[in-house]
Amino acid sequence: MPITIADVAARAKVSKTTVSRVLNGKGELDESTAARVRAVIDELGYVPSARAVNLARGRTRVVGMLVPSLTWPWMGEVLQGAVDVLEAEEYGLLLFTCNRGDDSMRQFGAQVAAKSFDGLLVIEPEGTLDYITTLHSRGLPMVLIDDRDQLSGGQIPTIGTTNHSGAADAARHLLAIGRHKPLVITGPARFGCTVQRTDGFSSVYAEAGHPISDAHVMTGDFTVACGADGVKQAIALGLEFDAVFCHNDLSAFGVVQAIQDSGRRVPDDVAVVGFDDIPMAAHHQPPLSTVHQPMREMGEAAARTLLAHFDGTPVPNRQTIIPATFTVRASTQA
């Protein structure tokens, strides 16, 4: 049977409270008593529960992370960035997804009530913002990751990137290679990143004297299928286009396939640009030019911000921006 704190107390002829104080370094103790307890701990080979010790110190040394799903293409990069920082500081990660809807959120709420973690990293699952904001207002330290600052009204600290300027860089690249008639495949209209990417891209074309018509902007859902369907619809409508800007890489993959299926060439006839720079983008055929979102860096920054708060640094109620960058590959420039 495992050695318990009661065993140590009995052998050292002290109370369990005294043993606990020795383990946690709390309270004033006679040095000879403390030495006797430590000697018994060594003799019996007692290993205290890390969770129990941390709870006694007022911390679990665990960070919670709430995400919509692990199937999002860039989710692994965010998680790895956060885990790298947490493990280096000897923190654990308790991960929650919303794959089962309300059941998942009830399970998450039970862990919040049990104080199973010291703070929370969040990639906001759709429809949970009010609940998350309430948790924050009640004192749960948290940091949001992605483009949710505008949705939380600035109440919750956020690590974000430059969706607007990233899309503008994509537009400048396409204009520089002589593409004046782009088709745009957006994300869902309700997402803040969709608005920012649409505005950033369209504003550059308008300033260059090539405004993008509404017919050339098609609402997608970030899937491969929506990219392919957008191209097929544009061809069926007789729209002229020499480039396609997609709001994520998956839809860009669908665009490339549909263009090639139509008998056109990428990039000779149609240049294609994505957004995210997921690992597959560099290995696609042709390799995809795309806006690189610093997802791993965002995960790292969110974890550092939360850990700094545990050490006494207030979490800033503002958005911290890590700039996106543009990566040129063969889908726009042979």
Side-chain angles (χ1 to χ4, degrees):
M1 293 179 61
I3 302 298
T4 68
I5 195 171
D7 298 326
V8 174
R11 179 69 66 89
K13 297 182 175 158
V14 297
S15 68
K16 290 191 290 185
T17 300
T18 297
V19 176
S20 179
R21 286 177 177 171
V22 172
L23 291 169
N24 296 311
K26 285 186 174 182
E28 294 184 4
L29 290 171
D30 177 75
E31 182 55 37
S32 63
T33 299
R36 186 168 75 253
V37 170
R38 285 192 287 268
V40 170
I41 289 172
D42 291 341
E43 176 189 345
L44 296 180
Y46 172 64
V47 179
S49 162
R51 178 174 173 79
V53 172
N54 287 330
L55 284 172
R57 293 173 177 169
R59 290 190 190 175
T60 64
R61 293 197 74 82
V62 173
V63 166
M65 188 164 186
L66 178 64
V67 304
S69 170
L70 296 180
T71 61
W72 289 14
W74 45 258
M75 189 64 70
E77 289 292 299
V78 180
L79 287 173
Q80 191 62 59
V83 167
D84 286 346
V85 172
L86 295 174
E87 286 186 349
E89 296 299 325
E90 299 183 349
Y91 273 76
L93 179 69
L94 189 57
L95 182 63
F96 302 91
T97 71
C98 287
N99 290 329
R100 296 181 295 111
D102 290 343
D103 287 344
S104 294
M105 291 308 297
R106 277 192 289 271
Q107 182 178 356
F108 169 71
Q111 295 299 316
V112 173
K115 297 184 178 179
S116 299
F117 44 84
D118 298 328
L120 185 65
L121 303 176
V122 184
I123 298 175
E124 186 243 324
E126 196 168 1
T128 65
L129 187 64
D130 289 344
Y131 175 55
I132 291 167
T133 303
T134 298
L135 293 179
H136 181 257
S137 68
R138 290 176 179 172
L140 179 64
M142 68 174 62
V143 179
L144 291 177
I145 304 169
D146 202 11
D147 59 348
R148 305 301 185 179
D149 181 66
Q150 61 178 331
L151 299 178
S152 66
Q155 298 177 46
I156 304 175
T158 306
I159 307 297
T161 190
T162 48
N163 284 294
H164 188 282
S165 64
D169 287 343
R172 293 187 189 99
H173 171 69
L174 290 174
L175 284 168
I177 61 174
R179 307 304 170 108
H180 297 155
K181 297 178 181 178
L183 187 69
V184 179
I185 310 293
T186 78
R190 65 185 182 277
F191 287 175
C193 60
T194 296
V195 175
Q196 295 163 0
R197 293 171 193 178
T198 300
D199 289 348
F201 189 82
S202 298
S203 63
V204 170
Y205 267 87
E207 291 168 4
H210 303 286
I212 300 172
S213 70
D214 291 342
H216 281 75
V217 180
M218 300 183 176
T219 302
D221 59 3
F222 292 144
T223 63
V224 173
C226 84
D229 291 344
V231 168
K232 293 174 185 176
Q233 182 179 346
I235 292 173
L237 292 172
L239 298 178
E240 293 185 21
F241 60 96
D242 56 10
V244 185
F245 171 54
C246 303
H247 280 200
N248 76 329
D249 292 340
L250 286 184
S251 57
F253 297 161
V255 163
V256 170
Q257 186 62 57
I259 289 170
Q260 292 172 338
D261 289 346
S262 73
R264 304 184 190 189
R265 297 168 298 169
V266 177
D268 305 71
D269 302 315
V270 182
V272 180
V273 171
F275 207 110
D276 286 340
D277 199 15
I278 62 176
M280 183 60 68
H283 304 288
H284 190 261
Q285 290 302 319
L288 186 67
S289 292
T290 184
V291 179
H292 174 78
Q293 286 209 89
M295 303 312 299
R296 182 173 296 218
E297 294 88 341
M298 290 164 68
E300 292 173 350
R304 286 196 193 98
T305 299
L306 198 57
L307 294 186
H309 170 73
F310 298 156
D311 290 334
T313 302
V315 178
N317 287 330
R318 57 177 172 78
Q319 188 176 45
T320 299
I321 299 295
I322 302 176
T325 55
F326 190 72
T327 300
V328 178
R329 297 192 181 104
S331 69
T332 60
Q333 198 162 301

